[in-house]
């Protein structure tokens, strides 16, 4: 039975989702309809044992009571129920079959009716299509005759129109020739456009002899008109054969004809006019002429101004304003002048006067700017591909090349580009401006030499050696050099903004380096063992430091000014950072020189300290004499330096003073032979006094400085003096707590020097070798191995020489 169930499960098995949906739709699902129906399990649930086949669940199995109840069997009851259900299902299926049979007959009848209707509709559509085809053939037959008549009408109309236009063309050509003979140029100009329009209508009929003859006749007439008007211009002069007013009016109308003849005729007229006007100019200023020299370049431009005034008087009312004849004449003049100057510069290259070259270039640039302002808005109709100045000079043929049409005969139309006069002539000077760079180099060298001689390196004696001078804190040499750079840059940028300006910027850089070298050479040069700076020396150093600082701050502005005017391709190459670094280093060097002088004077004061017998010091009292002298020395020399230095380098001076002077004081302590406990206490008192002295240095300017600005300086003093105080307090401590005091007071982060410092302290205290070894062993027991102190023979001999005493 289980095998049968398994086979049915293999044949009919729904997906999990379908089963879930069925359960949701049919909430009261019959056990027989379940997907995992088990027949064996189902029968066993109804008849769990053999007794259940005979008795119902609610009946008792007692034999005594079985005789009294109605005899029936539970299995029989179940079979009757199943048979009744089967009968109901069979009846339901029969009813469904009978209903579907009736529907099938009705459906077949409806399909037959639909086929009959479709056939009828198809016959009607076919009949309509046949009628439409007959109607279309009828319309085509009717329209065929209409189209024939319409084509005939079109051809007839075209023929009549062509004959009328041909008649008009013949009359217009004849009338044009007649008016040309009568010099009625205004009417000729008006009719030229009409004739050209008529010829355009016959562009496709050039093969017809009549049209070809008319076109040839018109070409000759146009050439005749152009030559005739050119002759009229050539005959125009101070004594014309006709009245001046009539001649001007006739030439004005002739310009209208030239305008109608097209760009080629206009260009040829302007070529002739430009050549005729510039001919005398070549005779006066051409290469080899006396007036061709560079020094007389301004005469060339004066000649053009005069010629333009004459043009306004004679031809201003003749040529149309739209032609821009003065602009064309000016441009041709510039090109011709450029050719002349190129020859002059080439001939005088080896003997050229650079001052004359620069003067000529300045005048040329000013003249170009003048022309640009006057004619910069005039359209340039010149073919940009033609460079007359690069090939064969500026004779008549070269000028004509600028107006030459291309191989197809198309006229050169206006490009919409405005005329540009800038660098039109001045560009010829640029290849020869290398000498201008040399001139700038010589001028810079001469300026630096002059300012070195004139400079008052000691402040001119006008500086109060005690109070300083707020009005004079820098040297004038840098100011003079920067003024020169400003004027030179303005002058050069008006001449050129290309490679020459970049080379001159390099000369500015070299001049700055030379200025830095000159200032460096003025710093005091003295041997280290006698580096005693006078107040004048301090003044010089402070002036150099302030000047260097000022130069460092101004240099970026110079570089930026050059980058604004120089060509774009050179902007990234303009770099003054090295020169700025040179002046920053110079300022530091000057301040370090001042500090070195203070160190030397401090050393002199500390010599008094070294002569004191600290090993036999008996009483702790006020500060020692050497502290008073150090305070007096700083009060005498430091105020002037602090007041004269700028804010930045004033603090730098204070920092460097603390960084160098306090270590010298530490070294001086170790140079004492021996120091007893009272001597160490006196040294501690002196150290506190010296710390107060050094902390007061920034305020020697006279104005109080905020603690925020002096924070770094205070940290330096605290660090350096902290080490000194730790040393003297260690010297003053008893032997049993000496190591503990040393380790507690010595600054953190300087452990690498603690071993040598401890050794010096032990020798300075004058201990016996056994005592020293015991203290060293105690120290080594509590530090890393790399920080151990070793008392060897070589070190012992070394410190004996330093402290100058024998071992106990």
């Amino acid at each position: 039975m289980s095998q049968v169930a398994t086979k049915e499960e293999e044949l009919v098995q729904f997906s999990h989702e379908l089963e879930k949906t069925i359960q949701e739709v049919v909430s009261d699902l019959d056990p027989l309809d379940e997907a995992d129906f088990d027949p064996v399990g189902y029968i066993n649930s109804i008849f769990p044992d053999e007794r259940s086949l005979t008795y119902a669940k609610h009946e008792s199995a007692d034999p005594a009571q079985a005789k009294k109840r109605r005899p029936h069997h539970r299995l029989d009851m179940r079979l009757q129920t199943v048979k009744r259900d089967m009968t109901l299902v069979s009846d339901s299926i029969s009813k469904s079959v009978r209903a579907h049979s009736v529907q099938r007959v009705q459906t077949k009848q409806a399909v037959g009716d639909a086929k009959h209707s479709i056939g009828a509709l198809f016959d009607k559509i076919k009949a309509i299509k046949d009628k439409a085809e007959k109607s279309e053939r009828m319309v085509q037959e009717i329209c065929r005759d209409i189209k024939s008549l319409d084509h005939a009408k079109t051809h007839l109309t075209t023929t009549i129109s062509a004959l009328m236009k041909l008649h008009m063309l013949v009359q217009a050509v004849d009338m044009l020739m007649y008016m040309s003979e009568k010099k009625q140029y205004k009417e000729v100009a008006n009719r030229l456009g009409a004739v050209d329009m008529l010829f355009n209508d016959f562009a496709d009929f050039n093969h017809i002899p009549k049209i070809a003859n008319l076109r040839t006749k018109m070409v000759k007439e146009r050439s005749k008109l152009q030559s005739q008007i050119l002759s009229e211009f050539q005959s125009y002069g101070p004594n014309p054969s006709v009245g001046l007013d009539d001649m001007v009016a006739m030439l004005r109308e002739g310009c209208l004809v030239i305008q109608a003849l097209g760009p080629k005729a206009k260009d040829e007229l302007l070529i002739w006019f430009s050549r005729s006007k510039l001919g005398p100019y070549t005779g006066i200023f051409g290469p080899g002429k006396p007036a061709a020299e560079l020094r007389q370049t301004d005469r060339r431009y004066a000649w053009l101004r005069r010629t333009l005034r004459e043009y306004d008087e004679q031809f201003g009312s003749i040529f149309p304003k739209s032609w821009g004849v003065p602009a064309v004449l000016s441009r041709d003049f510039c090109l011709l002048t450029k050719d002349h100057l190129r020859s002059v510069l080439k001939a005088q290259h080896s003997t050229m006067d650079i001052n004359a070259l620069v003067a000529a270039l300045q005048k040329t640039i000013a003249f170009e700017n003048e022309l640009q302002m006057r004619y910069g808005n005039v359209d340039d109709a010149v073919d940009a591909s033609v460079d007359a100045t690069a090939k064969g000079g500026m004779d008549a043929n070269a000028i004509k090349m600028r107006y030459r049409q291309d191989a197809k005969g198309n006229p050169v139309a206006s490009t919409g580009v405005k005329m540009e006069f800038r660098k039109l002539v001045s560009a010829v000077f640029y290849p020869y401006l290398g000498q201008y760079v040399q001139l700038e180099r010589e001028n810079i060298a001469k300026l630096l030499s002059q300012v070195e001689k004139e400079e008052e390196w000691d402040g001119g004696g006008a500086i109060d050696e005690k109070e300083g001078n707020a009005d004079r804190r820098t040297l004038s040499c840098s100011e003079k050099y920067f003024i020169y750079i400003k004027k030179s840059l303005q002058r050069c940028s008006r001449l050129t903004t290309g490679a020459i300006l970049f080379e001159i910027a390099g000369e500015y850089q070299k001049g700055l380096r030379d200025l830095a070298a000159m200032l460096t050479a003025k710093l005091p040069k003295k041997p280290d063992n006698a580096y005693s700076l006078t107040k004048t020396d301090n003044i010089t150093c402070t002036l150099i430091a302030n000047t260097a600082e000022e130069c460092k701050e101004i240099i970026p502005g110079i570089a930026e000014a050059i980058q604004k005017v120089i060509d774009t391709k050179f902007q990234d190459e303009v770099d003054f950072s090295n020169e700025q670094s040179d002046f920053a280093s110079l300022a530091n060097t000057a301040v370090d020189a001042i500090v070195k002088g203070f160190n030397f004077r401090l050393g002199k004061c500390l010599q008094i300290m070294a002569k004191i017998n600290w090993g036999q010091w008996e009483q702790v009292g006020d500060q020692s004499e050497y502290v008073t002298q150090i305070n007096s020395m700083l009060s005498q020399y430091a105020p002037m330096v602090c007041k004269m230095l700028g804010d930045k380098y004033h603090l730098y001076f204070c920092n460097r003073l603390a960084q160098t002077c306090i270590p010298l004081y530490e070294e001086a302590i170790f140079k004492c032979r021996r120091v007893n406990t009272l001597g160490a206490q006196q040294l501690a008192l002196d150290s506190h006094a010296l710390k107060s002295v050094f902390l007061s240095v920034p305020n020697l300017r006279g104005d109080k400085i905020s603690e925020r600005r002096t924070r770094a300086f205070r940290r330096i003093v605290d660090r350096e003096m902290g080490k000194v105080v730790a040393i003297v307090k260690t010297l003053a401590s008893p032997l049993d707590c000496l190591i503990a005091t040393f380790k507690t007071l010595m600054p953190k982060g300087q452990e690498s020097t603690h071993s040598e410092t401890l050794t010096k302290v032990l020798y300075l205290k004058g201990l016996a070798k056994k005592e020293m070894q015991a203290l060293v062993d105690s120290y080594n027991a509590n530090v890393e191995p790399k920080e151990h102190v070793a008392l060897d023979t070589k070190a012992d001999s070394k410190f004996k020489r330093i402290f100058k005493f024998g071992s106990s």
Side-chain angles (χ1 to χ4, degrees):
M1 190 171 183
S2 62
Q3 293 179 354
V4 174
T6 304
K7 186 175 181 180
E8 290 178 354
E9 289 177 356
E10 293 177 353
L11 294 175
V12 181
Q13 186 174 3
F14 299 109
S15 64
H16 175 70
E17 290 78 5
L18 180 59
E19 294 291 347
K20 184 178 179 181
T21 304
I22 293 174
Q23 291 177 2
E24 291 176 356
V25 175
V26 184
S27 59
D28 188 11
L29 193 64
D30 192 278
L32 296 175
D33 295 331
E34 293 181 354
D36 55 351
F37 174 72
D38 184 6
V40 176
Y42 179 72
I43 293 174
N44 291 333
S45 65
I46 299 174
F47 306 104
D49 50 24
E50 294 180 357
R51 187 178 300 172
S52 61
L53 297 173
T54 306
Y55 303 104
K57 290 183 180 180
H58 61 277
E59 293 179 348
S60 173
D62 187 2
Q65 295 180 1
K67 295 178 180 181
K68 296 180 180 182
R69 64 176 177 262
R70 185 177 54 184
H72 66 277
H73 299 283
R74 188 179 182 188
L75 180 60
D76 295 336
M77 294 173 63
R78 188 68 181 175
L79 290 174
Q80 291 176 3
T81 302
V82 171
K83 288 178 180 180
R84 186 171 56 251
D85 292 340
M86 291 175 61
T87 302
L88 294 175
V89 171
S90 178
D91 293 341
S92 177
I93 292 173
S94 298
K95 289 180 181 180
S96 298
V97 169
R98 284 194 297 270
H100 284 296
S101 298
V102 173
Q103 292 178 357
R104 183 167 61 252
V105 172
Q106 294 175 351
T107 302
K108 185 176 180 180
Q109 183 178 358
V111 170
D113 294 342
K115 288 182 179 179
H116 178 73
S117 299
I118 292 172
L121 180 63
F122 180 77
D123 293 339
K124 291 181 180 181
I125 293 173
K126 186 177 179 181
I128 293 173
K129 182 178 180 182
D130 294 339
K131 292 181 180 180
E133 291 177 352
K134 292 179 181 179
S135 300
E136 184 178 0
R137 286 194 296 271
M138 185 181 299
V139 170
Q140 289 178 352
E141 291 175 358
I142 294 173
C143 293
R144 187 180 297 112
D145 296 336
I146 297 176
K147 288 182 179 179
S148 300
L149 293 174
D150 185 63
H151 287 312
K153 178 183 177 182
T154 301
H155 294 321
L156 182 61
T157 303
T158 303
T159 303
I160 294 174
S161 177
L163 289 174
M164 291 178 62
K165 290 181 179 179
L166 180 60
H167 178 68
M168 293 171 60
L169 179 61
V170 173
Q171 286 186 340
V173 171
D174 292 340
M175 183 61 67
L176 185 66
M177 296 176 63
Y178 172 77
M179 292 179 177
S180 175
E181 292 179 359
K182 297 296 183 179
K183 296 184 179 181
Q184 299 177 3
Y185 293 132
K186 186 175 182 180
E187 289 76 8
V188 170
N190 293 332
R191 291 185 177 274
L192 274 173
V195 171
D196 291 339
M197 292 178 63
L198 290 172
F199 269 115
N200 290 335
D201 293 335
F202 292 98
D204 298 331
F205 303 101
N206 289 332
H207 59 282
I208 298 177
K210 180 63 176 179
I211 302 299
N213 292 335
L214 283 175
R215 189 173 293 278
T216 302
K217 186 177 180 181
M218 188 60 196
V219 169
K220 293 180 180 179
E221 184 62 25
R222 291 170 71 95
S223 177
K224 177 183 175 183
L225 268 173
Q226 182 177 348
S227 301
Q228 182 176 332
I229 294 174
L230 181 61
S231 299
E232 299 290 354
F233 274 96
Q234 291 174 349
S235 63
Y236 177 64
N239 296 313
S241 57
V242 296
L244 184 60
D245 294 339
D246 295 338
M247 189 66 178
V248 169
M250 183 174 61
L251 293 178
R252 188 187 304 114
E253 295 175 357
C255 289
L256 298 178
V257 175
I258 295 295
Q259 183 79 30
L261 290 175
K264 182 180 178 181
K266 170 189 169 184
D267 292 342
E268 290 180 353
L269 176 62
L270 293 180
I271 289 172
W272 168 84
F273 185 77
S274 177
R275 182 180 59 184
S276 64
K277 290 299 179 182
L278 296 178
Y281 171 74
T282 303
I284 299 174
F285 297 98
K289 303 297 182 180
E293 297 180 355
L294 287 177
R295 296 184 180 278
Q296 301 191 42
T297 303
D298 54 335
R299 289 185 56 194
R300 295 174 177 269
Y301 308 138
W303 183 92
L304 178 64
R305 295 186 186 97
R306 186 168 56 254
T307 301
L308 291 177
R309 287 196 297 270
E310 294 175 356
Y311 166 84
D312 291 336
E313 295 175 359
Q314 298 181 11
F315 297 93
S317 59
I318 295 177
F319 287 107
K321 299 292 184 182
S322 60
W323 286 15
V325 177
V328 174
L329 186 62
S330 299
R331 181 182 54 199
D332 291 344
F333 168 85
C334 291
L335 295 174
L336 186 58
T337 301
K338 183 177 181 179
D339 189 58
H340 289 174
L341 292 176
R342 180 184 291 110
S343 300
V344 173
L345 292 171
K346 186 176 181 180
Q348 299 180 0
H349 178 64
S350 57
T351 61
M352 187 181 303
D353 184 358
I354 185 61
N355 292 320
L357 175 68
V358 173
L361 179 56
Q362 291 175 338
K363 294 174 182 177
T364 300
I365 293 175
F367 176 70
E368 290 173 343
N369 293 333
E370 177 186 345
L371 293 180
Q372 186 67 29
M373 292 180 63
R374 293 180 64 180
Y375 308 121
N377 293 325
V378 179
D379 286 338
D380 189 356
V382 179
D383 188 354
S385 63
V386 180
D387 187 0
T389 63
K391 299 179 180 180
M394 270 296 300
D395 56 7
N397 292 329
I399 296 176
K400 192 173 182 178
M401 283 288 292
R402 298 188 295 107
Y403 300 96
R404 182 166 294 175
Q405 301 178 18
D406 58 19
K408 295 182 180 180
N410 295 326
V412 179
S414 174
T415 61
V417 179
K418 304 300 181 181
M419 283 192 179
E420 182 61 46
F421 289 92
R422 297 186 183 94
K423 298 185 179 181
L424 192 58
V425 181
S426 58
V428 76
F429 291 92
Y430 296 157
Y432 302 93
L433 283 180
Q435 298 185 24
Y436 180 64
V437 178
Q438 177 64 27
L439 178 63
E440 286 292 332
R441 184 183 304 120
E442 294 174 357
N443 290 340
I444 291 174
K446 187 184 299 183
L447 174 66
L448 293 179
S449 176
Q450 181 180 354
V451 297
E452 183 179 7
K453 295 177 181 178
E454 297 176 353
E455 187 61 73
E456 296 176 347
W457 299 100
D458 58 353
I463 296 179
D464 189 332
E465 294 183 349
K466 183 177 181 181
E467 299 297 333
N469 188 354
D471 297 333
R472 178 70 186 282
R473 290 188 177 182
T474 60
L475 298 168
S476 62
C477 56
S478 61
E479 180 182 357
K480 292 178 180 178
Y481 182 61
F482 288 131
I483 291 175
Y484 174 83
I485 290 179
K486 179 180 178 181
K487 294 181 178 179
S488 174
L489 180 60
Q490 292 175 349
R491 180 172 61 251
C492 183
S493 61
R494 288 195 294 265
L495 301 180
T496 175
T497 57
I500 298 300
L501 180 57
F502 181 70
E503 293 182 20
I504 292 177
E507 296 301 324
Y508 297 156
Q509 291 176 285
K510 182 179 181 300
L512 288 171
R513 293 192 295 269
D514 292 343
L515 177 61
M518 180 180 70
L519 295 175
T520 303
K522 296 301 179 180
L523 292 174
K525 300 293 189 298
K526 296 183 180 183
D528 293 341
N529 58 358
Y531 205 88
S532 177
L533 298 185
T534 63
K535 292 184 177 180
T536 301
D537 293 334
N538 286 337
I539 291 173
T540 302
C541 291
T542 55
L543 291 174
I544 292 175
N546 292 338
T547 303
E549 181 185 9
E550 182 183 58
C551 293
K552 184 189 70 173
E553 295 174 352
I554 294 177
I555 284 175
I558 294 176
E560 184 179 354
I562 295 174
Q563 289 173 343
K564 286 182 179 179
V565 298
I566 203 168
D567 290 348
T568 305
K569 62 180 180 179
F570 295 107
Q571 288 179 353
D572 295 336
E573 300 182 31
V574 177
D575 184 12
F576 282 68
S577 58
N578 291 335
E579 288 69 27
Q580 190 176 10
S581 300
D582 291 343
F583 281 102
S585 300
L586 174 59
N588 293 339
T589 302
V591 175
D592 289 341
I594 299 173
V595 173
K596 189 175 181 181
F598 276 88
N599 291 342
F600 180 78
R601 293 186 181 277
L602 179 65
K604 292 293 185 182
C605 297
L606 294 176
Q607 289 178 1
I608 301 174
M609 172 186 171
K611 295 177 181 180
I612 298 175
N613 189 358
W614 297 98
Q616 298 180 0
W617 196 265
E618 299 177 352
Q619 183 180 359
V620 179
D622 294 334
Q623 63 184 26
S624 302
E625 181 182 356
Y626 72 90
V627 177
T628 303
Q629 290 189 2
I630 292 174
N631 188 19
S632 176
M633 182 269 295
L634 291 175
S635 300
Q636 182 179 2
Y637 291 95
M640 180 194 65
V641 175
C642 292
K643 289 180 179 180
M644 290 191 63
L645 285 175
D647 292 340
K648 178 180 178 181
Y649 282 95
H650 164 240
L651 294 177
Y652 176 76
F653 163 74
C654 296
N655 294 342
R656 290 294 296 156
L657 193 67
Q659 290 171 346
T660 57
C661 289
I662 298 177
L664 289 178
Y665 177 57
E666 178 185 343
E667 293 178 7
I669 293 177
F670 288 126
K671 289 181 180 179
C672 298
R673 296 184 178 182
R674 286 187 183 179
V675 179
N676 60 14
T677 302
L678 293 177
Q681 293 176 359
Q682 182 64 44
L683 286 174
L685 179 64
D686 294 342
S687 299
H688 285 289
L690 279 177
K691 181 178 180 180
S692 300
V693 170
F694 281 112
L695 288 176
S696 65
V697 171
N699 295 322
L700 293 178
R701 297 184 79 178
D703 52 346
K704 187 176 181 180
I705 302 178
S706 63
E707 293 184 1
R708 183 181 61 83
R709 295 183 57 197
T710 59
R711 191 176 301 160
F713 169 74
R714 290 180 176 275
R715 284 199 298 265
I716 295 173
V717 174
D718 291 340
R719 183 183 68 246
E720 299 296 337
M721 288 303 300
K723 185 177 180 182
V724 173
V725 171
I727 291 172
V728 296
K729 286 187 176 181
T730 302
L731 286 172
S733 62
L735 293 181
D736 55 349
C737 61
L738 185 144
I739 297 301
T741 302
F742 179 81
K743 292 177 63 178
T744 302
L745 297 179
M746 287 301 292
K748 306 300 181 183
Q750 301 180 10
E751 288 78 2
S752 59
T753 63
H754 287 180
S755 59
E756 182 179 354
T757 303
L758 179 60
T759 304
K760 291 181 180 180
V761 169
L762 295 178
Y763 275 99
L764 192 60
K765 200 168 180 61
L767 301 177
K769 192 168 185 179
K770 292 182 179 180
E771 295 175 326
M772 294 173 61
Q773 187 62 50
L775 292 173
V776 167
D777 293 341
S778 176
Y779 176 78
N780 291 341
N782 298 304
V783 296
E784 298 291 336
K786 61 181 180 180
E787 301 175 9
H788 282 183
V789 178
L791 295 175
D792 54 20
T793 307
K794 292 183 179 180
D796 190 46
S797 301
K798 174 183 176 183
F799 287 110
K800 283 180 181 179
R801 289 194 304 271
I802 293 175
F803 297 102
K804 299 178 182 179
F805 60 86
S807 61
S808 300

